[in-house]
Amino acid sequence: MKRVFSGVQPTGNIHIGNYLGALKQFVELQDENQCIYCIVDLHSITVPQDPRELRKHILDVAALYMAVGIDPEKSIIFVQSDVSGHAELSWILTCNSYTGELSRMTQFKDKSKGRESAPAGLFTYPILMAADILLYDSDIVPVGNDQKQHIELCRDIAIRVNNTVKKTFVVPEGRFLKAGARIMALDDPSSKMSKSAENIHSRISLLDDDGKIKKSIMRATTDSEGEIRFDPEAKPGISNLMNIYSAFSGESLEDIQTSYSGKGYGDFKKDLVGIVQEAMAPIKKNFNEIRETQELKDILTLGAEKAGAIAEKTMKRVKENFGLGF
Ligand code: AQP
């Protein structure tokens, strides 16, 4: 059995980009692998968070994990800050990373744009992500395309330690889906859909009601040509919507293009509204059933115990190989 690890930041409600890029894979992988899914709260404080909101979002993300189909009987679900090995390993890896490689991370460049000085955590965040993955001897990391560079960095750090210190880490592989790997913002198809973007109509959250889903899709940016054709360069808006359509319906982009030939954007968008509303309905129902229960907290407590036991073994090996302690 391969070991799978991934996480989501509790920075707001999960949107269809997170779902199609990452969570859908989480569910697919859990039958044939040992899966560990984390709510990465330590990552979320790289930017200021309201403590009460953060706690709420941690439980929201945990409930959404289960609502989309992650089964705690099959997969470990836990909160990152409950396992101290993440922060501990992160420091050891920081001492084996270089400022040059960190400065090349495009997410750091984007998030620190326009600032004279950025929070150091924003800069070292990819090392914490590497620690998350390496702590569990993970073979596979299902993520969206935006994390490709961070996975590469994680592999580089693991290989570096293996070669310069001692063979310590499993070198993981990223896993990216074709259809949902990068869902773009509905109001601006040049940037990715994001939880923390100001405009709520830039995204569809998994908990949006039918009215909000309709509004966001109907006002999504397209172009003046009016032809439903997949061309991300020339027609990024409609291509993004076609991607969403394809990922939810399972229909290929070619088939979508053929079936909407001669029809307008209005018809296409109306159908997409129905498809997304239908996909979100069971998720919302499941979420409401689990969110306020004690069971949810018990699952996280048990998950942290299971994850902690694996992490402890890795940390013992890491400390031994690095000569830490006595
Ligand atoms: N737009 C996207 N399309 C496909 N996949 C995406 N992911 C994020 N955005 C898209 C994938 O979702 C997983 C969880 O992401 P995250 O919570 O760790 O952080 P993020 O990538 O920074 O996501 P957001 O939504 O943009 O959050 P904020 O606004 O807080 O920065 C990852 O696997 C990611 O690839």
Side-chain angles (χ1 to χ4, degrees), residues 23-51:
L23 271 83
K24 224 174 129 196
Q25 302 196 64
F26 294 5
V27 179
E28 282 167 13
L29 286 164
Q30 66 181 347
D31 286 328
E32 293 183 359
N33 302 279
Q34 185 189 15
C35 296
I36 305 177
Y37 298 127
C38 186
I39 296 134
V40 288
D41 56 348
L42 293 173
H43 283 281
S44 67
I45 58 167
T46 49
V47 293
Q49 300 289 339
D50 173 60

Side-chain angles (χ1 to χ4, degrees), residues 225-230 235 238 242 245 251-265 267-268 271:
E225 205 185 73
E227 186 196 353
I228 293 147
R229 178 165 52 84
F230 189 74
K235 296 163 73 67
I238 193 69
M242 289 174 76
Y245 192 120
E251 277 180 54
S252 71
L253 293 165
E254 295 74 31
D255 286 351
I256 296 168
Q257 200 161 302
T258 309
S259 56
Y260 283 94
S261 140
K263 292 188 182 162
Y265 289 161
D267 293 326
F268 173 81
D271 291 348

Side-chain angles (χ1 to χ4, degrees), residues 6-23 25-26 40 43-44 47 49 61 65 107 111 125 129 141-148 150 175-176 180-185 191-197 203 240:
S6 197
V8 172
Q9 298 188 64
T11 40
N13 277 330
I14 294 178
H15 52 72
I16 57 169
N18 302 132
Y19 175 68
L20 297 174
L23 271 83
Q25 302 196 64
F26 294 5
V40 288
H43 283 281
S44 67
V47 293
Q49 300 289 339
V61 171
Y65 270 0
Q107 245 190 39
K111 290 198 173 179
Y125 157 110
M129 179 167 157
V141 187
V143 279
N145 255 352
D146 59 319
Q147 297 297 333
K148 238 179 195 161
H150 293 162
R175 185 179 190 267
F176 311 93
R182 194 173 180 81
I183 301 297
M184 309 310 282
S191 51
K192 73 162 190 143
M193 186 176 284
S194 165
K195 290 188 219 88
S196 46
R203 61 181 168 270
N240 185 38

